[in-house]
Amino acid sequence: MKNKPLYILTYDHGGFVLWGNDVKPRLKELVEWMEKYPKLKIGLDYESFTFDEYSKTDPEIIELITYLLEKYPGRFGLGATTYGQPLSLFVSEESNVRQLTYAVKTNLKFFGQTPNVYAISEFALNNQTPQLAKLCGYDAAILRSHVMGYGYTKTFDLPWGRWIGKDLTEIPAVPTYDEQGRGFNCTTVDNWIMSRWPREGCYWCLEDFEKKFEHISPLLASRYDDLTQDVQDITEYIETKDDYHYVLLEDLPELYGEAKEEIRTNDNDFHVQMPWGYCGNEIFNGCRASEVAAVQAEKLNALSVLLGGISYQEEIEQAWKYALVAQHHDVTICGLLDLARRFIPDSLKLSKDTIEKSSKTLFERFADKDNESLLVVNVNSFDVDEWIDIEVEESFIVLDGESELESVMNDCNGVKTLSVHINLPAFTVKRFTLKNGVCSTVQEFIWDEEKCELVTPSYKAVLTDDGISYIEKRKDSSRVFDNGKGELFTAYIDGESCKSKGKWTVEVFAHYAVATQKGYIGSVPYNFEMRFNGNHPRIDCKVNFEIHNQKIGHTGIAEGLKKSLTIDGHRHEEKLNFIMNVCVDKNRRMVRDLPFAISDWNGAVRKNESYWYPEDDIRYDVEVSHEESFNSTTYMQGVYWLALRDENHGLAVLNRGCMGSLVKGNRLEIPLVYADSYMCGTKMLDGIFDDEFSILPLDEAISDADLHKQAMSYQYVPQVFKLSKGNGDLCEYKIADFNDNNSDVILTTLCYEDGAMFARFCNYSDEPAEVDFSLISGKEMKVSDLLGNVISDVQGSDIRFRPWEIKTLKITV
């Protein structure tokens, strides 16, 4: 009886990042192998940045790839489906888009082809991948993370199906089979066999794989693993097997045919881990800064173009590309500081230069002939209420017509800063007049040094040498969090458990107060600052730690735990953590944002339902009570924010880089520093390391989507410019008419590319939505895919959205 065929997909995982010195020798080896092994079909899982980089620094590599593609069509393929090989659940919504679109465009630019099946080695998957992949032209996907150091997904007992994501978009997909392998610090069993057989304790062979999954047909064994793995033995072995057939990505849709069975995933089916605090969070914070700056630059340049300015598309694209490659999983998880310190500053400089050049058009159009002025730009799709800082040379008050805005002048070491309270509608640019003087309005801020109590218009904060005792809302005396006698930071430093201790100083100004504690945690000095702005609900925090090679964190090895990726760098409990005991009841939800998504979990866990266990605990087929889940430790990770909330109260942490936390009961800890043994490259720290985050107390009136808007406002702060006198013709400019009809539709970017304006929105809701949107200077508006290809018309200005739908509007101007 003839055996069923086994289909084999094998792609070399590598590229410029981490594997640069090995790329050319491997390509030369593949040139020989294509003749030596006539059955062989193989592809390249490189980040597409590799092609941009080597086209300038080593063109021979591009020539070798081009030769292989042209000489062996149907046998040699590209597998590059992201520009910078990110861990996609840790980059922003727009970064997720550009990772895909720039990969497609770069592949086409150099080789005239790009894969039609989305596949990855390490965890570039999330619950919006079906929608994003379809909008980039992919015909199918592989729902597998082949190397699962940092993420793995749900498994399915079928060969092929309709992967249905968050917005119910479907894409045909080959799943990870049940028992094929899932868990951190491992690979799928077929990937292990084809990368390591017959070495390294690989007790399985492909025949074992066939037998284990004999009920799956067609059966696919796939390898997406390092290009340095010695795979010659298994390549020679496969040559001898008549029933083993190589395939490339582009062969899969025809091989499998119509996908009929459902493969449904939810947000929490994508299990991830990151070494928060690694490298002092320098790389994580830098990646966030660069992706935010790129969006701010493209928004401002789009506005400049609308007002008659020049497009800086090339500079913006390069800023994005450097940001995307800085997000490479090996940069972040292996702490490749040399690359991070190259790409992140280069990206930030390009974005800053683009903002500076684009702003010149605004200066010309908005400068007041009689007065110096402030120009504030809100390209968000929601109204903003923010305190904005700008350096000035003398004392000013700020006028909106005849009305005086709340503002404060601050002089710190000779640097004058104007803090001004701005309320600005969505899609609005507005000029405010500057006059010499000091703001006449004052709000109530009281600092009682003897009691160590700070009273603001919104809160009372009680402080101790041990940290923060509690913060409560003034309107109803309900506590936001309560740390008893006081906590601020805890850590395991040089073998000892430590708590922070220091002295507070509080400065009270007319409209804000700053509480600063300087102290030590173990041998590490720190400077922690909380700023309370007027009656704004958000409490903005900054901290820096001066570290000189102390061991910070605990690997668990002393407790006899196995040394592995799931421990080293991923055990958050003993890192240098910020502490809050949140005042919510046991029915609290854990809520977080993900790319183009908001996900929550209320603590109830049913059998076989996805659950956020600690990263080294992958129990799935057990009943878990609410009480057990409440008392266990959970690692919760969001992109811009995460929150604990019950029906009436809650607290969110908005971050500017570190996206992780651990939760036990209502104790919320944010890991800020880790420097100890780590499998992917121990990085001890020497210098000053900074973090910024914000505490946002919640009440029942703030929906999850409104919370997301506030988090985006914290990230994408309205841009402000000081204008000299001039002959501008504008005082206020409406970028677009926008009525969200009380929906949760949010703009993620506005950009000018290839002669058209693009506005991208997402409906952050389980309900359908309809908005009215029209760009003031726009002419014809269409719906496009993520590559700019028109896919449908728009009737008037009414735009309809499915739940969680991403929609890009292409507008001629």
Side-chain angles (χ1 to χ4, degrees):
M1 178 178 174
K2 186 177 179 356
N3 292 330
K4 290 187 295 185
L6 173 66
Y7 295 100
I8 295 172
L9 182 81
T10 184
Y11 278 66
D12 278 355
H13 171 62
F16 171 79
V17 176
L18 195 64
W19 306 108
N21 293 334
D22 300 300
V23 168
K24 188 185 291 184
R26 176 58 173 161
L27 288 171
K28 290 181 176 179
E29 183 177 55
L30 287 178
V31 170
E32 298 174 3
W33 280 24
M34 296 306 287
E35 295 298 327
K36 187 175 182 180
Y37 306 112
K39 285 179 60 174
L40 179 63
K41 292 185 177 183
I42 193 167
L44 303 179
D45 175 40
Y46 293 0
E47 69 272 1
S48 295
F49 170 79
T50 297
F51 312 137
D52 274 333
E53 178 70 13
Y54 284 133
S55 69
K56 294 176 283 191
T57 61
D58 195 346
E60 186 184 358
I61 288 175
I62 306 301
E63 293 168 4
L64 282 167
I65 297 171
T66 301
Y67 170 79
L68 286 162
L69 289 168
E70 293 178 350
K71 176 74 171 177
Y72 303 103
R75 289 186 58 204
F76 186 82
L78 289 179
T81 57
T82 61
Y83 187 80
Q85 294 198 39
L87 302 173
S88 69
L89 277 166
F90 303 106
V91 300
S92 71
E93 63 289 303
E94 282 302 314
S95 288
N96 268 272
V97 169
R98 309 315 166 90
Q99 289 284 1
L100 272 65
T101 59
Y102 286 178
V104 171
K105 292 177 181 179
T106 304
N107 297 343
L108 292 173
K109 172 185 173 183
F110 286 102
F111 308 114
Q113 59 180 276
T114 194
N116 68 332
V117 175
Y118 183 79
I120 47 88
S121 172
E122 302 190 43
F123 209 69
L125 298 167
N126 60 70
N127 204 27
Q128 287 282 33
T129 298
Q131 184 176 189
L132 292 167
K134 285 290 288 289
L135 288 170
C136 285
Y138 287 99
D139 297 324
I142 297 181
L143 183 53
R144 294 180 184 176
S145 183
H146 294 79
V147 179
M148 296 178 285
Y150 296 84
Y152 60 93
T153 189
K154 187 176 181 180
T155 63
F156 299 86
D157 194 31
L158 69 162
W160 175 249
R162 295 153 37 226
W163 178 12
I164 303 173
K166 190 173 184 72
D167 77 314
L168 303 185
T169 292
E170 301 180 2
I171 189 168
V174 178
T176 307
Y177 312 134
D178 289 348
E179 300 185 60
Q180 186 181 357
R182 68 175 181 196
F184 298 116
N185 195 26
C186 63
T187 79
T188 51
V189 65
D190 47 338
N191 185 89
W192 187 266
I193 294 166
M194 291 196 295
S195 300
R196 294 157 178 87
W197 182 87
R199 310 173 320 281
E200 297 184 30
C202 191
Y203 302 114
W204 278 42
C205 60
L206 285 175
E207 284 81 2
D208 296 325
F209 179 78
E210 288 182 282
K211 184 175 181 180
K212 175 70 175 177
F213 299 103
E214 60 184 356
H215 62 291
I216 301 287
S217 181
L219 178 62
L220 181 72
S222 58
R223 165 192 166 266
Y224 261 61
D225 210 335
D226 298 344
L227 58 84
T228 54
Q229 295 285 355
D230 184 357
V231 297
Q232 186 158 9
D233 285 346
I234 198 163
T235 302
E236 290 177 347
Y237 180 70
I238 291 170
E239 283 290 319
T240 69
K241 302 290 287 184
D242 292 339
D243 297 322
Y244 289 3
H245 304 286
Y246 283 107
V247 291
L248 295 177
L249 291 174
E250 48 266 35
D251 299 325
L252 296 178
E254 183 176 353
L255 171 66
Y256 279 93
E258 181 183 0
K260 296 180 179 179
E261 296 189 67
E262 290 186 355
I263 297 176
R264 286 185 177 267
T265 55
N266 64 46
D267 295 332
N268 300 328
D269 286 331
F270 300 86
H271 298 259
V272 292
Q273 63 178 6
M274 283 291 265
W276 301 121
Y278 182 49
C279 298
N281 276 337
E282 174 186 334
I283 299 175
F284 302 131
N285 294 343
C287 286
R288 171 61 55 76
S290 62
E291 66 185 359
V292 167
V295 171
Q296 294 283 57
E298 66 188 8
K299 283 182 175 179
L300 195 74
N301 186 238
L303 172 60
S304 173
V305 170
L306 290 173
L307 294 173
I310 297 171
S311 167
Y312 294 105
Q313 179 179 343
E314 185 176 336
E315 290 88 340
I316 293 167
E317 286 185 356
Q318 192 59 61
W320 264 119
K321 287 181 174 182
Y322 286 143
L324 299 177
V325 72
Q327 295 167 352
H328 191 288
H329 62 273
D330 284 327
V331 174
T332 57
I333 66 179
C334 298
L336 303 183
L337 286 164
D338 56 337
L339 294 183
R341 290 170 180 172
R342 170 191 165 188
F343 296 129
I344 292 170
D346 285 352
S347 176
L348 289 170
K349 184 179 186 305
L350 282 163
S351 294
K352 180 181 178 182
D353 290 348
T354 298
I355 289 172
E356 183 177 334
K357 290 185 291 187
S358 299
S359 65
K360 291 179 180 178
T361 302
L362 278 62
F363 296 172
E364 293 172 0
R365 297 296 304 272
F366 283 90
D368 184 356
K369 62 181 175 61
D370 298 318
N371 302 287
E372 292 182 288
S373 54
L374 282 187
L375 184 67
V376 184
V377 181
N378 178 22
V379 192
N380 293 307
S381 59
F382 45 84
D383 300 351
V384 295
D385 179 357
E386 288 284 344
W387 280 82
I388 297 173
D389 295 341
I390 186 169
E391 287 189 18
V392 292
E393 295 177 354
E394 52 190 312
S395 295
F396 288 108
I397 61 172
V398 185
L399 300 175
D400 181 4
E402 299 298 321
S403 301
E404 183 179 330
L405 300 186
E406 293 178 322
S407 64
V408 179
M409 287 296 308
N410 185 27
D411 191 333
C412 181
N413 298 322
V415 178
K416 288 186 171 66
T417 302
L418 175 64
S419 295
V420 57
H421 187 196
I422 298 290
N423 285 284
L424 203 59
F427 292 115
T428 298
V429 187
K430 190 170 183 177
R431 183 184 72 204
F432 299 90
T433 301
L434 292 175
K435 293 284 190 181
N436 291 112
V438 177
C439 183
S440 60
T441 62
V442 176
Q443 291 196 28
E444 184 183 21
F445 287 84
I446 301 170
W447 167 238
D448 187 326
E449 187 171 5
E450 184 175 338
K451 294 182 178 179
C452 219
E453 290 183 358
L454 172 63
V455 177
T456 80
S458 298
Y459 305 111
K460 181 171 82 170
V462 176
L463 312 174
T464 73
D465 289 353
D466 291 322
I468 303 169
S469 175
Y470 64 84
I471 294 178
E472 69 180 24
K473 300 175 186 175
R474 286 187 64 186
K475 69 177 183 178
D476 59 8
S477 297
S478 63
R479 293 199 174 174
V480 177
F481 65 90
D482 188 338
N483 287 351
K485 294 181 179 180
E487 279 189 287
L488 195 63
F489 303 107
T490 63
Y492 192 82
I493 300 177
D494 287 337
E496 294 185 2
S497 295
C498 304
K499 291 181 65 175
S500 62
K501 201 173 189 69
K503 294 294 183 181
W504 289 96
T505 58
V506 176
E507 293 182 277
V508 172
F509 300 90
H511 292 288
Y512 70 90
V514 178
T516 303
Q517 189 184 67
K518 293 186 177 181
Y520 280 82
I521 177 164
S523 59
V524 175
Y526 65 85
N527 188 0
F528 173 74
E529 173 188 298
M530 289 190 297
R531 175 164 163 168
F532 300 81
N533 286 310
N535 58 7
H536 197 282
R538 203 177 67 216
I539 304 167
D540 294 336
C541 303
K542 296 180 181 179
V543 62
N544 64 64
F545 302 98
E546 184 180 341
I547 301 170
H548 298 295
N549 297 301
Q550 294 95 331
K551 284 189 174 182
I552 301 174
H554 192 187
T555 65
I557 297 171
E559 300 170 6
L561 298 174
K562 182 180 178 182
K563 183 178 180 181
S564 73
L565 273 173
T566 62
I567 300 300
D568 295 352
H570 296 278
R571 178 188 172 97
H572 300 329
E573 283 82 344
E574 286 90 16
K575 295 178 179 179
L576 205 170
N577 292 345
F578 177 75
I579 308 297
M580 291 179 290
N581 292 284
V582 184
C583 296
V584 290
D585 63 37
K586 284 193 173 183
N587 291 319
R588 54 97 165 104
R589 296 183 294 132
M590 293 188 283
V591 196
R592 57 181 179 157
D593 80 306
L594 299 171
F596 294 107
I598 298 172
S599 177
D600 74 350
W601 173 68
N602 64 9
V605 182
R606 295 186 299 274
K607 189 174 182 180
N608 298 324
E609 184 178 34
S610 180
Y611 173 57
W612 306 342
Y613 279 110
E615 295 159 350
D616 56 341
D617 185 344
I618 54 170
R619 300 172 294 172
Y620 280 92
D621 301 318
V622 294
E623 299 282 358
V624 181
S625 68
H626 182 92
E627 188 69 23
E628 181 183 353
S629 66
F630 182 84
N631 291 321
S632 66
T633 299
T634 300
Y635 293 170
M636 179 169 62
Q637 303 174 116
V639 179
Y640 294 140
W641 59 270
L642 51 87
L644 298 182
R645 63 185 311 177
D646 59 26
E647 289 185 358
N648 300 310
H649 305 286
L651 180 146
V653 177
L654 319 182
N655 70 78
R656 285 188 172 157
C658 177
M659 296 169 255
S661 72
L662 61 95
V663 181
K664 185 170 185 180
N666 288 336
R667 184 176 175 86
L668 180 63
E669 303 190 19
I670 310 300
L672 301 175
V673 180
Y674 177 78
D676 205 334
S677 175
Y678 182 53
M679 183 176 176
C680 289
T682 299
K683 294 291 188 297
M684 301 310 292
L685 304 176
D686 187 15
I688 295 176
F689 296 85
D690 302 285
D691 273 294
E692 291 187 46
F693 55 92
S694 185
I695 302 165
L696 180 62
L698 307 173
D699 58 35
E700 71 280 1
I702 302 176
S703 69
D704 291 343
D706 287 338
L707 167 53
H708 189 65
K709 292 175 185 178
Q710 293 208 34
M712 292 190 75
S713 182
Y714 177 65
Q715 302 289 338
Y716 302 98
V717 180
Q719 298 184 71
V720 57
F721 305 94
K722 181 177 177 292
L723 306 186
S724 301
K725 294 180 183 179
N727 295 310
D729 59 319
L730 294 174
C731 177
E732 185 171 350
Y733 179 74
K734 194 74 173 173
I735 301 168
D737 285 327
F738 182 70
N739 182 358
D740 66 3
N741 296 312
N742 297 314
S743 73
D744 296 322
V745 173
I746 301 173
L747 178 90
T748 61
T749 196
L750 179 73
C751 57
Y752 184 78
E753 295 179 354
D754 302 325
M757 202 68 64
F758 292 87
R760 186 154 34 252
F761 295 88
C762 180
N763 178 17
Y764 285 83
S765 171
D766 287 321
E767 301 296 327
E770 182 176 334
V771 303
D772 298 321
F773 172 80
S774 60
L775 201 65
I776 295 299
S777 301
K779 297 176 183 176
E780 187 178 43
M781 183 162 62
K782 306 279 188 179
V783 178
S784 77
D785 62 16
L786 296 177
L787 297 168
N789 303 304
V790 172
I791 55 178
S792 67
D793 293 329
V794 175
Q795 301 300 321
S797 61
D798 296 334
I799 317 296
R800 293 179 173 83
F801 291 80
R802 302 187 308 274
W804 305 105
E805 183 181 12
I806 303 161
K807 187 165 283 188
T808 304
L809 301 175
K810 183 176 184 178
I811 308 153
T812 56
V813 293

